Amino acid sequence: MTKITASDKKVRRYIKYESELDQTFIDKIGDAAYGEQLLSCIQCGTCSATCPISHYMDYTPRRIIAMVRAGFKEEVLNSNTIWLCASCYGCTVDCPREIKITDVMYALKREAILEGSNPRGFPIPILANKFFRQVRRHGRQNETRLLLTVYLLTNPLNLLKNARMAMRLYFKGRLSLFENGIKQKKSLRKLLKTLDRNQN
Amino acid sequence: MKYLYYPGCSLKSSGRAYEESLLAVFDALDIQLEEIDDWNCCGATSYMGVDEIKAFGLAARNIGLANRQKKTQDDEETHIIAPCSACYLVLLKTQKYLATHTDVRNSIQGGLSEIDLDLNSNIKIRHPLDVLVNDIGYQKIAERVQKPLKNVKVASYYGCQIIRPYQEFDKEYYPMTMDHLVTKLGGEAVDWPLKTRCCGGTLMGTMQDVGLQINYRLLKEAHRRNADVMITTCPLCQFNLECYQDKIMKSHNDSVEMPVIYFTQLMGMAFGLSDISLGLNRLLTPVSDIFQ
Amino acid sequence: MNTEINKTLQQPWKPRIVAFFCNWCTYTAADLAGVSRLKYAPSVLIIRLMCSGRVDPQFVLDAFAKGADGVLIGGCHFGDCHYIEGNHKMFRRYQMLKRMIVNMGIEPERLRLEWISASEGDKLKRVINDMNEKVQALGPLNLPGKFQEWDLEIQDMIDQNGDMPAAKEEHHV
Amino acid sequence: MSSTSKNGSVRIGYYVCHCGHNIAANVDVAIVAKEIEKLPGVVITREYKYMCSDPGQELIQEDIKELNLNRIVVASCSPLLHEQTFRNALTHGGLNPYFLQMVNIRENVSWVHTDRELATQKAIDLSRAAVRRVAIHKALETRQVSINPDVLVVGGGISGINAALTLANAGKKVYLVERDPTIGGHMAQFDKTFPTLDCAACILTPKMSDVKNHPNITLWTYSEVVEFSGFVGSFKAKIKHKPRYIIEDLCVGCLDCIDACVYKNPKYRDEFNVGLSKRKPIYIPFPQATPQVVVVDPENCIQVKRGKCKMTCVDVCDRNAFDFTQQETFEEIQVGSVILTTGFQTFNPEKTPYYGYGKYDNVYTSLEVERIVNSAGPTGGEVLMRDGQKPKKVGIVHCVGSRDDRTNKWCSRVCCMYSLKLASLIKEHTGAEVYNFYIDMRTPGKGYEEFYDKVLKEKVHFIRGRVAEVTDWAAEKEEEGKLIIRVEDTLVGAVRRIPVDMVVLSVGIEPQTDAHDVRRLFNISCSTEGFFTERHPKLAPVETAAEGIFIAGCCQGPKDIPDSVAQSGAAASQALALIDKGVMEMEPNTAYVLEEACSGCKSCISLCPYTAITFVEERKKAEINEALCKGCGTCVAACPSSAIMQNLFEDDEIYSEIEGLLSIPQL
Amino acid sequence: MSEKPKVGFYWCASCGGCEESVVDLAEDILMVLDNVDIVFWPVAMDFKKSDLEVMEDASIFATMINGAVRTSEQEEMARILRKKSKIIIAYGSCAHTGGVPSLANQFDREQILQYIYQDAPTVINEEKTRPQTTHRKNGHVVTLPQIRNVVRTLDQVIDVDYYLPGCPPTPKILKTALLALLEGNIPEKGTVLAPDIALCDECPRKESKPTEIKYTQFKRPHLTELDPDTCFLAQEVFCMGPATRGGCEALCVDGNMPCTGCFGPTSRVKDQGAKILSSICSAIDGLDERSVDRVLDTIPDPIGTFYRYALAGSLLRRKVPAKSSESE
Ligand SMILES: Cc1cc2nc3c(=O)[nH]c(=O)nc-3n(C[C@H](O)[C@H](O)[C@H](O)COP(=O)(O)OP(=O)(O)OC[C@H]3O[C@@H](n4cnc5c(N)ncnc54)[C@H](O)[C@@H]3O)c2cc1C
Ligand SMILES: Cc1cc2nc3c(=O)[nH]c(=O)nc-3n(C[C@H](O)[C@H](O)[C@H](O)COP(=O)(O)OP(=O)(O)OC[C@H]3O[C@@H](n4cnc5c(N)ncnc54)[C@H](O)[C@@H]3O)c2cc1C
Ligand code: SF4
Ligand code: SF4
Ligand code: SF4
Ligand code: SF4
Ligand code: SF4
Ligand code: SF4
Ligand code: SF4
Ligand code: SF4
């Protein structure tokens, strides 16, 4: 899976040595929210088959679970799968072993952000981050500004492509450009700070 | 019974029509809604992926606020109505998670105490659909209908997040509450297999190709089943399915045009409420002409 | 008393732990430990019962009152009980008994319940050694001594009056 | 308290064994003997090299006679090893064997300790406890119960049939009770059986008629056991016979009445064909039903329901076999042992709505398909769907309801194999493309993997993945009008959508819905799901915790026909062993209630795992049935008035042990 | 009238309820008075220690002492009475098994004094005054009895002949016992003068008790609407009846309150608390630690529940003090 630079670029090494794996990965992810059941996955693939997006993923949810178990940390954290997951909970409801796959995906997203290993040019972690800041500052999100920032940061072209729709929405009163924060911003920040502190 | 109302960010912007129609319908049924004072963002989906504890914290603050508001009013059992699917799920999930994970609950409660809020109380998180059919009842809704939706074929689209995995008011595989509601309004419920299939959520914004394809599938199937209109329970689903329709049709070179409205808008129409009060004017694909 | 015994008694203090083992699992495990010549601390004195469900909480308290420094109960694992679920019944009592003795000031390490199957001779050894170590660290419980000690405060009067209360016997009708 | 012999005083003999070097090397036996000699009641102490040897035992016997001993303590090895030996020695010496107490100073002392002094001290402590205890021992009698040789078999599937025949062939009287109108169970519904694909009817029907004709078997179909009591050797059962409205002995099975019924066309759900066809209110489950007697369905027969039918059926019967006045009748029998073979039911796929059963016409259960491929089935053996079409593509979904935390957690063990069988049969009948969707292929059995190999070579498709959904949502043109199976082909690593005409759900095996009632009736235990629990999963697989009650077949857990037959044979032989011995000996360690002390608080009643304790309404007191009590002592420990005592393990005996162990002053 | 047998009453650490119960004999008391001569009864008449001391040894036929023993004075009086009486009857739960006062055995004397004289929210005691055994004022010395560290049952201090259980004993059992003794009907020493069978036997709700109860919780009686006819245990309300000697005519149950155990255990039982624990906990609904603990959590005060009247007389007698406080 790791590329090697050979004279023929198409040749790849498809072997994994134990030293390249992270055997503690499963524990970390398992410890995160709801992940306890992970070990009982029977690789049945129901999650992948149910997932409305799996056919765009570089590894299906089932494979992600197998790779987490086996310690393929790098591949997992760099996969687009975890960012494509739309949190529809379809897999979670369908898994015969009651594995909370959606929550595993969340745990993996968090781990990826922590490790700084988000796939390049993938706007989702950025969106999440922006969102995070906006809420921290104002207590609420402003969809318009959020999207604007994300487009500007990732793919300004997209902004142009969607401009017509945006204008129509604006005239229908469905876009608001003004910040619409909460009153007790301080108390919210205090809460988040305390939680931060508690966590560390 | 009094309900506290948690609108969430979307209902104040892109989903404004949802709020307008919701309030109009509840008003028409004589149910008081009281907005939670100074609510904050629910900490939705994307937040969970960044920082779980804080996501729970954000949701918990809203529950704490509701708790405070409840206490000052002396209500016994308080229900929070959360119309947006994402908000509904996050609030419900937070409540259920904290109930079983004491360590996290203690930590969150610790944070809340610092700002004089308190989690402990029997607050219930409800979706308006649940409240309408279970508390108010089909009977009362049917009685309020003034303009039955004769010959209108409606595809009920529940989306994913209100139906699984935490709710308890409907079946997770074949939910039927909205379909029954449609018949009570005089319309015809279309049986279609995609009613709980995901709309892709924020993928439309972040990975548009994927989003367009997913939503195309939904519109296409509703078309194939001869639906006249699709109703949703979530501002994001509505946004994806309606506002991107042009693009969907262009990218798939297929005419799958279809009005997509909130179920509350449909109810309001059957109740004979005005277009403006239901926010119908905000639609990009107009709907009124199909109701003769 | 025999000099040999006196010598034993003069050795550094060793805990005395009364063990109630069920016939089918834990007692058999003790036999296995013996046959396998596993070595463990000699502090445990075993009383064989048919089932851990036979362990009356009174036995436990009585053992403490008579001078045990610890009480160990051994039974079959859940699902293995020879009498289906005697061990479950014992377990429920034990959970409460444990709370109770802690409330009465007896350290929780002095009462222990373990599921040891007939094949777990090594577990038996581990459990006994571990408990022995913990009780050793706690020191003697010595309730009979404590009862005497507590009664010292009324001793002066007794001496003065010259009559001791008769030892309390069970009252039978 | 202590009941002693002759002169009334306790005279204890104490014997400590060297066990060669085994004990003596680590325990100073001489000192032990010396210490114990000082205790009150001890008349003699002896040490000897091998107590269990004949001379050792004779030592005890002589002392009993010469020294008038009435209590014996032997300090040697584990009682689990030699208690019986020394009890016999007491008996031979003329003493009640239960005046013995053993001290285990080998397994519990010399073998496990190294410090000789401490080991010696421990041996003394243990011996002191035994001496104190034995002083209050009572004389007890070993219990014996005699075994009634008749056997009751409940459930007439292949397991029950086989058990009944085995016993009957051994000359024992058997009552076989089946609640349906015919015996045969599930096997009767199959066409072929894996792995040999031999015809089910060909191997089953001869056995069914053997049962009917065997002089030693009383066959009661359409009957149920409604009351059950007693204990091993002498059980009492009450059997209910449901009215068939036909006199069984008169009917010859000509079936003329069915033709003659006022209903011209069959109208009611045919249970035997799993609802795939209809029958009349008078019917026979299937042509080879045993007994070959028709039955009237009381729910639908006009005469039974309203008493106003023309009764054309009666007119045509020249045997005068009809009797519409029949009522439920009851019969009481006495047996010495019971074999339960009540079988299983298949998982109801309505609980897995994502597979579309009940929603899409062309989704079938495997049991339905068994009938469809059966040449005696509703379609005459042609594989036709509900719309009359022959399928061109068939998907077989494994593990429906099995291996799933939300439904049944276990693997049903036969569905992989029968799915292979059905794949092969469907392909043979229709030439259709057949897809098997499996999680793991489980073929552990003689010739099973070979069968898998055969089906693989028949070009049946195998996709490893659990099906997520069966839907009629067509994403592509080719899918329109079909059922689409969505699955991840986990070996290829891609999600696939496979359009088919017919879906077969390989539903799992689960306990009968009334399994809990049955277990309560017969007083055995079962898992929470309802499979009956064997006494030991490996070493006592057909026995139950209740003495004299055996289990076999699918009521114990999922299994196939070969295993059901093997197990029912084993159950029959266990029953035979019991009958052959004629009596059962039991340790006298039973509990008993001291009536004057019992307040009737009922705390004990439900605690007994064998329901040996009952509340006697007349006296408002608890009573223990000695024959059912196995001596666990749970109730003894739990009686809040200490009104329950237990032979061999009396409270006082244990208190004196505790006291004996601890009576050395502490430092 | 010196023919009549002499009878004495005395109280130790008690609430006075036992004395009250003697008075509650009402008209029956006259009958009793007809038959006996009360020579000592400080609560009702002016008797002093000195009066007692001058009596001849064994001159009193029977003395009934109620209350647990907590102070040096009580010990002294008990001993004197023992000497002066032929028969000593431990009267009431406190004398019999320790009673409610012996729940104090869960604490050290020091802990109790600290709370009562300093820490209790209603106490203002800036000088931190504590009761002293001797006090001098104006040249007079006043002595007070010493409070003991341990609360004791009567028979832990003196030899006791009979026991009359109850908190308080009912007039009926007192009367029956007295008359029996007076008639010379002398039972074996050590006998508890009440039926030797648990309360359920005479409980009017016995019929309604099912043979199987699986406890999923224990409800607090004051927070529960109690069905007046159904066995309390069947209502998941903790009842000591099964482990408590009967003879009280199920008074509490009649008042729609569960039995709390005042008559003490039956004769075969060594430890009332351990036995009720054993019987009730065996029937808890739960197969694993969590579910069992959840049920047990609904008994917030196990000692107070199982040993409300019997802590001093229980196998463990009192809380074992922690090492540090033991040394003082
Ligand atoms: C679709 C399918 C296909 C299969 N194909 C094969 C195959 O090809 N080869 C193979 O080896 N195995 C096969 N099996 C497994 C096989 O069916 C079982 O191993 C076998 O039937 C077990 O027999 P049994 O007697 O234990 O139970 P059953 O066949 O279920 O018989 C139980 C009998 O007891 C009766 N009964 C139940 N309760 C009571 C009661 N309370 N009182 C009186 N009577 C009662 C029932 O009416 C029934 O007659 C298949 C199973 C299924 C579901
Ligand atoms: C590695 C391994 C692990 C296993 N683990 C388990 C497990 O955990 N659980 C489980 O249930 N099963 C397990 N099994 C399966 C289990 O071993 C068998 O089911 C079981 O041992 C079969 O017993 P048997 O008596 O039929 O055969 P065997 O154990 O093979 O006994 C046959 C006996 O017959 C003797 N013998 C052979 N020929 C003759 C002759 N001609 N004359 C006289 N004597 C003869 C042999 O010497 C032998 O003593 C395991 C098997 C293996 C290989
Ligand atoms: S559905 Fe569950 S068990 Fe199956 S592969 Fe996915 S995670 Fe594993
Ligand atoms: S939650 Fe994510 S992984 Fe699971 S089905 Fe939905 S999109 Fe796929
Ligand atoms: S009842 Fe009579 S007609 Fe009917 S099958 Fe029997 S014998 Fe024939
Ligand atoms: S009585 Fe009538 S309905 Fe019943 S079986 Fe006979 S003909 Fe048919
Ligand atoms: S036998 Fe096969 S199909 Fe049946 S449950 Fe087991 S794995 Fe699934
Ligand atoms: S527990 Fe004891 S007192 Fe209660 S009914 Fe059973 S035997 Fe009688
Ligand atoms: S000792 Fe065990 S088997 Fe016997 S009656 Fe008591 S609980 Fe039942
Ligand atoms: S448990 Fe209590 S209420 Fe129930 S019968 Fe016994 S004494 Fe009466």
Side-chain angles (χ1 to χ4, degrees), chain A residues 33 56 87-88 94 103 139 143 162 183, chain B residues 10 14 38 41 52 93 161 173 213 247:
Chain A
Y56 296 103
S87 309
C88 74
D94 277 358
D103 289 290
E143 292 170 334
N162 290 308
K183 288 175 276 175
Chain B
S10 299
S14 61
D38 208 37
C41 164
E52 188 184 40
K93 175 174 178 170
Q161 296 195 333
Y173 289 106
Q213 214 247 350
K247 284 200 155 183

PDB file of all heavy atoms in Angstrom, chain A residues 33 56 87-88 94 103 139 143 162 183, chain B residues 10 14 38 41 52 93 161 173 213 247:
ATOM      1  N   ALA A  33     -16.113   7.347  22.330  1.00  0.00           N
ATOM      2  CA  ALA A  33     -17.556   7.174  22.482  1.00  0.00           C
ATOM      3  C   ALA A  33     -18.080   5.897  21.836  1.00  0.00           C
ATOM      4  O   ALA A  33     -17.893   5.679  20.647  1.00  0.00           O
ATOM      5  CB  ALA A  33     -18.267   8.365  21.859  1.00  0.00           C
ATOM      6  N   TYR A  56     -18.312   5.796  -2.788  1.00  0.00           N
ATOM      7  CA  TYR A  56     -17.348   6.851  -3.070  1.00  0.00           C
ATOM      8  C   TYR A  56     -16.133   6.774  -2.161  1.00  0.00           C
ATOM      9  O   TYR A  56     -15.196   7.551  -2.276  1.00  0.00           O
ATOM     10  CB  TYR A  56     -17.987   8.234  -2.874  1.00  0.00           C
ATOM     11  CG  TYR A  56     -19.106   8.497  -3.845  1.00  0.00           C
ATOM     12  CD1 TYR A  56     -20.430   8.396  -3.439  1.00  0.00           C
ATOM     13  CD2 TYR A  56     -18.827   8.835  -5.163  1.00  0.00           C
ATOM     14  CE1 TYR A  56     -21.461   8.620  -4.320  1.00  0.00           C
ATOM     15  CE2 TYR A  56     -19.864   9.059  -6.061  1.00  0.00           C
ATOM     16  CZ  TYR A  56     -21.180   8.956  -5.635  1.00  0.00           C
ATOM     17  OH  TYR A  56     -22.192   9.171  -6.513  1.00  0.00           O
ATOM     18  N   SER A  87     -22.896  10.765   8.550  1.00  0.00           N
ATOM     19  CA  SER A  87     -23.548  10.548   9.844  1.00  0.00           C
ATOM     20  C   SER A  87     -25.028  10.230   9.696  1.00  0.00           C
ATOM     21  O   SER A  87     -25.859  10.758  10.416  1.00  0.00           O
ATOM     22  CB  SER A  87     -23.426  11.771  10.749  1.00  0.00           C
ATOM     23  OG  SER A  87     -22.109  12.178  10.832  1.00  0.00           O
ATOM     24  N   CYS A  88     -25.339   9.345   8.787  1.00  0.00           N
ATOM     25  CA  CYS A  88     -26.757   9.030   8.608  1.00  0.00           C
ATOM     26  C   CYS A  88     -27.184   7.916   9.556  1.00  0.00           C
ATOM     27  O   CYS A  88     -28.365   7.602   9.666  1.00  0.00           O
ATOM     28  CB  CYS A  88     -27.027   8.601   7.175  1.00  0.00           C
ATOM     29  SG  CYS A  88     -26.425   6.953   6.815  1.00  0.00           S
ATOM     30  N   ASP A  94     -28.004  -0.953  11.329  1.00  0.00           N
ATOM     31  CA  ASP A  94     -28.051  -2.242  10.635  1.00  0.00           C
ATOM     32  C   ASP A  94     -27.038  -3.269  11.119  1.00  0.00           C
ATOM     33  O   ASP A  94     -27.205  -4.460  10.874  1.00  0.00           O
ATOM     34  CB  ASP A  94     -27.838  -2.031   9.127  1.00  0.00           C
ATOM     35  CG  ASP A  94     -29.134  -1.635   8.449  1.00  0.00           C
ATOM     36  OD1 ASP A  94     -30.154  -1.569   9.152  1.00  0.00           O
ATOM     37  OD2 ASP A  94     -29.127  -1.399   7.232  1.00  0.00           O
ATOM     38  N   ASP A 103     -20.249   6.404  15.277  1.00  0.00           N
ATOM     39  CA  ASP A 103     -19.430   6.994  16.328  1.00  0.00           C
ATOM     40  C   ASP A 103     -17.954   6.652  16.170  1.00  0.00           C
ATOM     41  O   ASP A 103     -17.091   7.420  16.560  1.00  0.00           O
ATOM     42  CB  ASP A 103     -19.942   6.555  17.701  1.00  0.00           C
ATOM     43  CG  ASP A 103     -21.270   7.211  18.024  1.00  0.00           C
ATOM     44  OD1 ASP A 103     -21.278   8.414  18.243  1.00  0.00           O
ATOM     45  OD2 ASP A 103     -22.296   6.507  17.991  1.00  0.00           O
ATOM     46  N   GLY A 139     -21.776  31.530  19.535  1.00  0.00           N
ATOM     47  CA  GLY A 139     -22.786  30.681  20.144  1.00  0.00           C
ATOM     48  C   GLY A 139     -23.716  30.074  19.119  1.00  0.00           C
ATOM     49  O   GLY A 139     -24.391  29.095  19.374  1.00  0.00           O
ATOM     50  N   GLU A 143     -24.860  30.026   8.550  1.00  0.00           N
ATOM     51  CA  GLU A 143     -24.586  29.123   7.423  1.00  0.00           C
ATOM     52  C   GLU A 143     -23.901  29.845   6.269  1.00  0.00           C
ATOM     53  O   GLU A 143     -22.962  29.346   5.670  1.00  0.00           O
ATOM     54  CB  GLU A 143     -25.891  28.530   6.908  1.00  0.00           C
ATOM     55  CG  GLU A 143     -26.550  27.569   7.876  1.00  0.00           C
ATOM     56  CD  GLU A 143     -27.940  27.205   7.413  1.00  0.00           C
ATOM     57  OE1 GLU A 143     -28.559  27.995   6.683  1.00  0.00           O
ATOM     58  OE2 GLU A 143     -28.401  26.111   7.802  1.00  0.00           O
ATOM     59  N   ASN A 162     -21.896  28.424  -7.600  1.00  0.00           N
ATOM     60  CA  ASN A 162     -23.117  28.449  -6.819  1.00  0.00           C
ATOM     61  C   ASN A 162     -23.700  29.855  -6.644  1.00  0.00           C
ATOM     62  O   ASN A 162     -24.682  30.039  -5.944  1.00  0.00           O
ATOM     63  CB  ASN A 162     -22.870  27.843  -5.441  1.00  0.00           C
ATOM     64  CG  ASN A 162     -22.633  26.339  -5.557  1.00  0.00           C
ATOM     65  OD1 ASN A 162     -23.431  25.635  -6.161  1.00  0.00           O
ATOM     66  ND2 ASN A 162     -21.514  25.879  -5.040  1.00  0.00           N
ATOM     67  N   LYS A 183     -26.759  35.908  23.653  1.00  0.00           N
ATOM     68  CA  LYS A 183     -26.511  37.035  24.548  1.00  0.00           C
ATOM     69  C   LYS A 183     -25.355  36.750  25.510  1.00  0.00           C
ATOM     70  O   LYS A 183     -24.475  37.566  25.687  1.00  0.00           O
ATOM     71  CB  LYS A 183     -27.795  37.342  25.344  1.00  0.00           C
ATOM     72  CG  LYS A 183     -28.878  37.982  24.490  1.00  0.00           C
ATOM     73  CD  LYS A 183     -30.170  38.158  25.285  1.00  0.00           C
ATOM     74  CE  LYS A 183     -30.979  36.867  25.263  1.00  0.00           C
ATOM     75  NZ  LYS A 183     -32.181  36.888  26.076  1.00  0.00           N
TER      76      LYS A 183
ATOM     77  N   SER B  10     -30.450  26.732  11.641  1.00  0.00           N
ATOM     78  CA  SER B  10     -30.993  26.713  10.278  1.00  0.00           C
ATOM     79  C   SER B  10     -32.378  27.335  10.189  1.00  0.00           C
ATOM     80  O   SER B  10     -32.724  27.955   9.199  1.00  0.00           O
ATOM     81  CB  SER B  10     -31.066  25.280   9.767  1.00  0.00           C
ATOM     82  OG  SER B  10     -29.792  24.716   9.732  1.00  0.00           O
ATOM     83  N   SER B  14     -31.664  29.540   6.364  1.00  0.00           N
ATOM     84  CA  SER B  14     -32.131  28.867   5.157  1.00  0.00           C
ATOM     85  C   SER B  14     -33.454  28.140   5.383  1.00  0.00           C
ATOM     86  O   SER B  14     -34.228  27.934   4.465  1.00  0.00           O
ATOM     87  CB  SER B  14     -31.060  27.882   4.680  1.00  0.00           C
ATOM     88  OG  SER B  14     -30.852  26.911   5.687  1.00  0.00           O
ATOM     89  N   ASP B  38     -32.062  32.337  24.842  1.00  0.00           N
ATOM     90  CA  ASP B  38     -30.611  32.376  24.618  1.00  0.00           C
ATOM     91  C   ASP B  38     -30.004  31.031  24.255  1.00  0.00           C
ATOM     92  O   ASP B  38     -28.855  30.740  24.580  1.00  0.00           O
ATOM     93  CB  ASP B  38     -29.884  32.936  25.858  1.00  0.00           C
ATOM     94  CG  ASP B  38     -28.577  33.607  25.437  1.00  0.00           C
ATOM     95  OD1 ASP B  38     -28.550  34.240  24.374  1.00  0.00           O
ATOM     96  OD2 ASP B  38     -27.590  33.465  26.185  1.00  0.00           O
ATOM     97  N   CYS B  41     -26.095  27.079  19.397  1.00  0.00           N
ATOM     98  CA  CYS B  41     -26.002  26.034  18.377  1.00  0.00           C
ATOM     99  C   CYS B  41     -25.979  24.661  19.041  1.00  0.00           C
ATOM    100  O   CYS B  41     -25.382  24.472  20.094  1.00  0.00           O
ATOM    101  CB  CYS B  41     -24.741  26.244  17.556  1.00  0.00           C
ATOM    102  SG  CYS B  41     -24.274  24.812  16.587  1.00  0.00           S
ATOM    103  N   GLU B  52     -15.752  15.903  20.843  1.00  0.00           N
ATOM    104  CA  GLU B  52     -16.964  15.279  21.320  1.00  0.00           C
ATOM    105  C   GLU B  52     -17.474  15.893  22.620  1.00  0.00           C
ATOM    106  O   GLU B  52     -18.644  16.230  22.755  1.00  0.00           O
ATOM    107  CB  GLU B  52     -16.686  13.794  21.527  1.00  0.00           C
ATOM    108  CG  GLU B  52     -17.914  13.005  21.845  1.00  0.00           C
ATOM    109  CD  GLU B  52     -17.540  11.566  22.122  1.00  0.00           C
ATOM    110  OE1 GLU B  52     -16.507  11.332  22.775  1.00  0.00           O
ATOM    111  OE2 GLU B  52     -18.270  10.692  21.661  1.00  0.00           O
ATOM    112  N   LYS B  93     -29.202  12.343  21.485  1.00  0.00           N
ATOM    113  CA  LYS B  93     -28.013  11.516  21.681  1.00  0.00           C
ATOM    114  C   LYS B  93     -27.270  11.957  22.941  1.00  0.00           C
ATOM    115  O   LYS B  93     -26.851  11.129  23.751  1.00  0.00           O
ATOM    116  CB  LYS B  93     -27.096  11.661  20.461  1.00  0.00           C
ATOM    117  CG  LYS B  93     -25.767  10.947  20.601  1.00  0.00           C
ATOM    118  CD  LYS B  93     -24.992  11.016  19.304  1.00  0.00           C
ATOM    119  CE  LYS B  93     -23.624  10.337  19.468  1.00  0.00           C
ATOM    120  NZ  LYS B  93     -22.933  10.162  18.197  1.00  0.00           N
ATOM    121  N   GLN B 161     -31.737  11.210  10.062  1.00  0.00           N
ATOM    122  CA  GLN B 161     -31.399  11.424  11.466  1.00  0.00           C
ATOM    123  C   GLN B 161     -32.570  11.465  12.438  1.00  0.00           C
ATOM    124  O   GLN B 161     -32.372  11.225  13.614  1.00  0.00           O
ATOM    125  CB  GLN B 161     -30.536  12.675  11.614  1.00  0.00           C
ATOM    126  CG  GLN B 161     -29.206  12.491  10.890  1.00  0.00           C
ATOM    127  CD  GLN B 161     -28.180  13.523  11.284  1.00  0.00           C
ATOM    128  OE1 GLN B 161     -28.523  14.623  11.682  1.00  0.00           O
ATOM    129  NE2 GLN B 161     -26.914  13.177  11.173  1.00  0.00           N
ATOM    130  N   TYR B 173     -37.116   1.227  10.185  1.00  0.00           N
ATOM    131  CA  TYR B 173     -36.981   0.832   8.777  1.00  0.00           C
ATOM    132  C   TYR B 173     -38.115   1.358   7.891  1.00  0.00           C
ATOM    133  O   TYR B 173     -37.870   1.877   6.823  1.00  0.00           O
ATOM    134  CB  TYR B 173     -36.871  -0.689   8.666  1.00  0.00           C
ATOM    135  CG  TYR B 173     -35.553  -1.179   9.184  1.00  0.00           C
ATOM    136  CD1 TYR B 173     -35.451  -1.836  10.393  1.00  0.00           C
ATOM    137  CD2 TYR B 173     -34.387  -0.918   8.457  1.00  0.00           C
ATOM    138  CE1 TYR B 173     -34.217  -2.255  10.874  1.00  0.00           C
ATOM    139  CE2 TYR B 173     -33.157  -1.329   8.927  1.00  0.00           C
ATOM    140  CZ  TYR B 173     -33.079  -1.999  10.131  1.00  0.00           C
ATOM    141  OH  TYR B 173     -31.867  -2.408  10.602  1.00  0.00           O
ATOM    142  N   GLN B 213     -25.420  13.474  -6.850  1.00  0.00           N
ATOM    143  CA  GLN B 213     -25.830  12.138  -7.263  1.00  0.00           C
ATOM    144  C   GLN B 213     -26.819  11.513  -6.275  1.00  0.00           C
ATOM    145  O   GLN B 213     -27.834  10.959  -6.663  1.00  0.00           O
ATOM    146  CB  GLN B 213     -24.586  11.256  -7.408  1.00  0.00           C
ATOM    147  CG  GLN B 213     -24.726  10.240  -8.527  1.00  0.00           C
ATOM    148  CD  GLN B 213     -24.772   8.820  -8.010  1.00  0.00           C
ATOM    149  OE1 GLN B 213     -24.530   8.566  -6.847  1.00  0.00           O
ATOM    150  NE2 GLN B 213     -25.105   7.906  -8.905  1.00  0.00           N
ATOM    151  N   LYS B 247     -29.279  22.149 -10.572  1.00  0.00           N
ATOM    152  CA  LYS B 247     -27.967  21.525 -10.796  1.00  0.00           C
ATOM    153  C   LYS B 247     -28.073  20.024 -10.958  1.00  0.00           C
ATOM    154  O   LYS B 247     -27.371  19.426 -11.764  1.00  0.00           O
ATOM    155  CB  LYS B 247     -27.075  21.805  -9.596  1.00  0.00           C
ATOM    156  CG  LYS B 247     -26.559  23.195  -9.589  1.00  0.00           C
ATOM    157  CD  LYS B 247     -25.351  23.247  -8.721  1.00  0.00           C
ATOM    158  CE  LYS B 247     -24.506  24.413  -9.183  1.00  0.00           C
ATOM    159  NZ  LYS B 247     -23.288  24.516  -8.449  1.00  0.00           N
TER     160      LYS B 247
END
